[in-house]
Amino acid sequence: MSDGTSTGTSGGTATATGDTGTGAGAGTGLRFGYGTNGFANHRLADALRVIADLGYQGVALTLDHDHLDPYQEGLARRVAAVSDLLRDLGLGVVVETGARYLLDPRRKHAPTLLHDEREARLDFLGRAVAVGADLGAEAVSFWAGVRPETVDEATAWARLVDGCARITETAAAAGVPLGFEPEPGMLVETIAGWRKLHAELGEPAGFGITLDIGHCRCLEPDPVPDCVTAVAGHLVNVQIDDMRRGVHEHLEFGEGEIDFPPVLRALAGSGYRGLVAVELPRHSHDAPRVAARSLDFLRAAAEGTNA
């Protein structure tokens, strides 16, 4: 797996391409999902079943110690089992790579593409692409990372461009779209930063954007619906949560400052048909109830009834 090749499972998750009128975003074309990083205290199979039973149509699967660790033995067998379960539950899937301590037990998110040891991150991303290919994932999502104090900005940027070029080539060969996420506090934290990176990579078709709706409220200069519209042509993955201006804290819906009906109308109107997955990574202690409340909120917002 270290070269990003297939895990050996030949199945794939059948994912919906539009709304049938009975799903989570009935009548809007939106497909709501939930992130497994918000179910960190559950076994992965149990989390997937709860998410499906609540009525979600997909899952954002963060590869982590207890959730399809790509470094454990027997990966091909485990990926095949998850693929079968996703299919049986009717869940679409995107693969997320933001596990906190998977690569280093002492440093959160390290090493990134910016560190001296960046080859470890590239190896992990290659494994994530291989898992994504075997799961039939709609996208594999990743970010730049925080610039280490010992690395100057020019070096960090050069490393990022090189790393993204290499993983884009790997993903293209596997047929898996990439969603690069602007993340507050990281080297690329805004849509403008993603555009610069995309341009320096030569605007590859497989290098899309992951848009976190909360991040847009946190630090983008434009209104959140305008952010959606601005990147609609490159959007391959959406994370959704509430947030306040200038504060990078993922909040339950209604606890922040975002007016969600216009945001969901912008997503529906943009033609985006990928997953819109709730990202509440600090709410695992109450995951089933938080997930249920979140879906109720999103359904109401999609209908414009909680404006």
Side-chain angles (χ1 to χ4, degrees):
M1 281 287 295
S2 62
D3 61 353
T5 55
S6 173
T7 59
T9 60
S10 59
T13 302
T15 57
T17 57
D19 189 81
T20 62
T22 59
T28 66
L30 297 178
R31 300 163 55 230
F32 297 130
Y34 203 90
T36 61
N37 61 0
F39 272 81
N41 300 324
H42 284 68
R43 299 179 183 89
L44 178 57
D46 290 340
L48 297 180
R49 291 188 180 98
V50 172
I51 289 167
D53 287 347
L54 288 172
Y56 285 97
Q57 292 181 286
V59 61
L61 199 170
T62 296
L63 304 182
D64 210 339
H65 299 285
D66 294 327
H67 288 175
L68 212 53
D69 183 344
Y71 296 97
Q72 288 184 346
E73 293 184 5
L75 179 60
R77 171 182 51 79
R78 291 182 291 111
V79 170
V82 171
S83 180
D84 289 345
L85 182 57
L86 289 168
R87 183 190 62 246
D88 292 346
L89 295 173
L91 293 174
V93 62
V94 296
V95 171
E96 297 279 355
T97 58
R100 290 182 174 91
Y101 293 100
L102 183 63
L103 302 187
D104 188 322
R106 294 176 177 82
R107 297 182 299 164
K108 178 182 176 181
H109 290 155
T112 70
L113 292 174
L114 315 180
H115 282 82
D116 294 341
E117 320 96 304
R118 66 197 184 103
E119 292 297 330
R121 174 62 58 171
L122 281 164
D123 174 73
F124 171 52
L125 293 177
R127 292 169 185 254
V129 166
V131 170
D134 287 340
L135 291 179
E138 300 173 26
V140 170
S141 183
F142 70 112
W143 32 241
V146 177
R147 180 174 64 84
E149 293 182 358
T150 56
V151 179
D152 65 83
E153 190 162 351
T155 299
W157 183 261
R159 288 177 174 179
L160 177 62
V161 173
D162 174 72
C164 287
R166 290 165 64 182
I167 196 61
T168 298
E169 183 177 350
T170 298
V176 178
L178 293 176
F180 185 94
E181 181 188 3
E183 179 87 16
M186 293 192 176
L187 188 64
V188 175
E189 60 180 358
T190 64
I191 291 171
W194 174 85
R195 290 192 187 282
K196 177 183 177 183
L197 178 59
H198 187 236
E200 292 203 20
L201 290 169
E203 301 184 353
F207 189 83
I209 188 169
T210 290
L211 191 68
D212 186 303
I213 298 302
H215 295 171
C216 294
R217 175 57 188 161
C218 180
L219 47 67
E220 293 288 352
D222 296 325
V224 180
D226 292 353
C227 294
V228 172
T229 302
V231 298
H234 302 284
L235 199 55
V236 298
N237 184 30
V238 173
Q239 301 164 351
I240 194 163
D241 44 77
D242 211 344
M243 210 166 282
R244 300 187 183 100
R245 189 71 177 170
V247 182
H248 185 202
E249 181 182 3
H250 291 243
L251 303 172
E252 281 197 65
F253 302 117
E255 295 182 357
E257 301 171 340
I258 299 175
D259 181 15
F260 282 94
V263 175
L264 297 182
R265 285 196 295 270
L267 281 168
S270 73
Y272 175 70
R273 294 297 179 264
L275 290 177
V276 180
V278 178
E279 186 173 48
L280 293 172
R282 297 182 180 179
H283 292 68
S284 292
H285 65 283
D286 197 21
R289 292 198 298 177
V290 172
R293 288 197 297 266
S294 298
L295 186 55
D296 286 344
F297 182 96
L298 289 171
R299 284 171 167 165
E303 296 171 358
T305 57
N306 65 357

